[in-house]
Amino acid sequence: MGIGRLSDGLAPKPPMGWNSWNRFGVKIDEALVLETAEAMVTSGLRDAGYRYVVIDDGWMASERDRNGNFVADPEKFPAGMKELADRIHSLGLRFGIYTDAGTKTCQDLPASLGYEFRDARRFAEWGVDYVKVDWCHTDGMGPRALYAKWAMALRATGRPIVLSICEWGRARPWEWAGELGHLWRTSWDIQPEWSSIVTILDRQAELHPFAGPDHWNDPDMLEVGNGELTGDQSRAHFAMWAMLAAPLMAGNDLRTMTDEVREILIAPEIVAIDQDSLGKQGRRIRRDGDTEIWIRELAAGHRAVAAFNRGFDHREVWISLEELGIEPRTDVRVRDLWQRTDVRVIRREIVAATNPVSATVLRVAQQ
Ligand code: GLA
């Protein structure tokens, strides 16, 4: 703990972008990726901070070439990865790709065991800015050693490349991954269902000491806009990920999203919590039945507070300044970041209302 965290400046704030997996699985191709990159610009996501366009599993041909090099599936990506990366870069975006540390990817395609330096070089030649390295087909291997090899291989390319470690939290990566990669998964794969989001959230409550600039816990990519999540559930998912200083990787179809989904993803005051320059992850400070209070310290002594209501009743919650670590006599201004309105403070307690199955998110500014 606390030793040799990365501080190379490649991910001073949690990375933001889009990843193909949650919505498209292996049904990906050049047109989808380019249209998504364009939609990222026209929808305003790029300007809201989303930068990485990441192609997940399913991009590679079923075999390496005669020289052992990785090749893209020629039917899905006929122009090749270099060309695709150039076009993504020309839109002011960054390009991310996926591989697996073991003998095959999770979809049984060629993976990188024994090819780490060669593949890292190849990715750098293509103009890759971000690599997600998965953990399927790794029987008997130690994640720490293998991800250390990846960190070395990427560094050896001389190109700045973000390393996204995807070991699902099995070997407590928060204790060692911060010196190797910029983000690491802390849980199994997210699903576009409320129960999955809540299960993952519960796993994050104790992980706050391990995150910071250039090394982030990753509770998995966003499901906003996927499945049957309601508006309140989607807003709660997004806001709680922001409280966690989580990487914000949209996982929906950016080309066809509704205005409601788009407004969640670009909500400026929520994104600002996620991207706060202090880089401190939020934590749960209290549970009262179905209602929980999470707080996150922000730069300049401000605080983000989330009242997370898992139950089916409306609730009113009272939060004292003391609980937030703010000297009780301080003058504060409290703002509801979804409603974009000011919130009452009565005798040094903040009074917030929460809908059933939702999160109310406040920003407490010290005057
Ligand atoms: C694993 C990862 C997912 C995704 C798939 C691809 O399940 O955790 O995020 O990359 O593999 O096959």
Side-chain angles (χ1 to χ4, degrees), residues 109-120:
L109 287 161
S112 291
L113 186 67
Y115 293 92
E116 294 82 3
F117 282 80
R118 175 188 293 260
D119 290 350

Side-chain angles (χ1 to χ4, degrees), residues 79-97:
M81 289 302 176
K82 174 88 179 72
E83 171 77 19
L84 185 57
D86 287 349
R87 296 190 57 183
I88 289 172
H89 288 148
S90 72
L91 293 168
L93 298 167
R94 297 182 189 140
F95 179 49
I97 208 162

Side-chain angles (χ1 to χ4, degrees), residues 19-30:
N19 175 301
S20 54
W21 184 256
N22 282 358
R23 174 68 178 77
F24 296 99
V26 296
K27 293 202 187 97
I28 50 174
D29 60 26
E30 211 164 87

Side-chain angles (χ1 to χ4, degrees), residues 19 21-22 26 56-58 98 100 105-107 132 134-136 166 168 185 187-190 220-221:
N19 175 301
W21 184 256
N22 282 358
V26 296
D56 208 281
D57 206 346
Y98 164 102
D100 183 287
T105 74
C106 299
Q107 303 302 314
K132 170 174 169 181
D134 210 344
W135 194 246
C136 281
C166 180
W168 319 303
R185 283 274 297 279
S187 56
W188 299 115
D189 290 9
I190 195 167
D220 208 358
M221 305 168 296

Side-chain angles (χ1 to χ4, degrees), residues 58 80 85 127 133 158 201 213 217 225 235 262 264 329 345:
V133 181
L201 182 65
N217 286 305
R235 275 184 287 277
R262 177 180 163 277
I264 294 172
R329 279 179 306 256
V345 181

Side-chain angles (χ1 to χ4, degrees), residues 42-341:
T42 53
S43 65
L45 258 72
R46 180 190 65 184
D47 292 344
Y50 293 81
R51 281 284 184 286
Y52 293 96
V53 175
V54 184
I55 305 179
D56 208 281
D57 206 346
W59 63 264
M60 51 289 269
S62 55
E63 286 182 24
R64 290 175 178 267
D65 72 12
R66 261 184 286 129
N67 302 315
N69 288 320
F70 241 151
V71 269
D73 182 324
E75 278 176 20
K76 291 175 169 177
F77 295 93
M81 289 302 176
K82 174 88 179 72
E83 171 77 19
L84 185 57
D86 287 349
R87 296 190 57 183
I88 289 172
H89 288 148
S90 72
L91 293 168
L93 298 167
R94 297 182 189 140
F95 179 49
I97 208 162
Y98 164 102
T99 186
D100 183 287
T103 52
K104 283 188 256 170
T105 74
C106 299
Q107 303 302 314
D108 291 341
L109 287 161
S112 291
L113 186 67
Y115 293 92
E116 294 82 3
F117 282 80
R118 175 188 293 260
D119 290 350
R121 259 199 320 275
R122 189 83 167 156
F123 292 157
E125 284 161 14
W126 287 344
V128 165
D129 306 296
Y130 178 114
V131 179
K132 170 174 169 181
V133 181
D134 210 344
W135 194 246
C136 281
H137 302 289
T138 54
D139 281 355
M141 289 175 232
R144 191 170 181 164
L146 207 40
Y147 283 112
K149 197 167 180 191
W150 264 102
M152 270 192 288
L154 291 175
R155 216 169 299 137
T157 68
R159 184 178 171 86
I161 300 178
V162 168
L163 172 57
S164 159
I165 292 176
C166 180
E167 171 275 359
W168 319 303
R170 287 200 318 184
R172 301 178 65 81
W174 43 89
E175 290 178 354
W176 49 265
E179 57 193 81
L180 306 176
H182 303 89
L183 58 157
W184 54 87
R185 283 274 297 279
T186 57
S187 56
W188 299 115
D189 290 9
I190 195 167
Q191 306 296 326
E193 288 155 20
W194 184 241
S195 60
S196 162
I197 287 159
V198 172
T199 305
I200 291 178
L201 182 65
D202 282 334
R203 283 187 62 104
Q204 315 307 311
E206 306 304 323
L207 299 185
H208 55 94
F210 303 100
D214 291 318
H215 53 276
W216 308 101
N217 286 305
D218 176 9
D220 208 358
M221 305 168 296
L222 297 167
E223 293 285 16
V224 174
N226 290 337
E228 305 292 321
L229 295 175
T230 66
D232 270 348
Q233 289 172 349
S234 302
R235 275 184 287 277
H237 165 34
F238 191 66
M240 294 314 290
W241 263 231
M243 291 296 290
L244 295 171
L248 296 180
M249 290 292 179
N252 59 315
D253 188 342
L254 300 186
R255 303 165 306 171
T256 58
M257 65 186 156
T258 62
D259 285 347
E260 183 183 35
V261 166
R262 177 180 163 277
E263 274 158 27
I264 294 172
L265 292 173
I266 67 174
E269 298 182 46
I270 304 288
V271 170
I273 299 294
D274 183 75
Q275 299 284 296
D276 180 75
S277 61
L278 196 59
K280 276 204 153 189
Q281 179 172 330
R283 61 185 200 277
R284 184 162 58 201
I285 58 162
R286 184 176 11 122
R287 298 182 87 148
D288 297 322
D290 285 333
T291 315
E292 308 175 355
I293 306 299
W294 293 65
I295 67 168
R296 178 170 173 188
E297 283 175 48
L298 305 175
H302 304 321
R303 301 281 189 276
V305 181
F308 182 64
N309 182 356
R310 304 169 184 243
F312 298 100
D313 298 316
H314 287 270
R315 295 257 181 240
E316 192 170 77
V317 291
W318 292 61
I319 306 146
S320 69
L321 295 186
E322 227 165 349
E323 276 181 291
L324 304 182
I326 296 177
E327 152 62 37
R329 279 179 306 256
T330 314
D331 279 332
V332 292
R333 185 165 164 232
V334 185
R335 193 166 158 76
D336 182 317
L337 300 187
W338 285 122
Q339 302 297 329
R340 302 209 191 165
T341 52

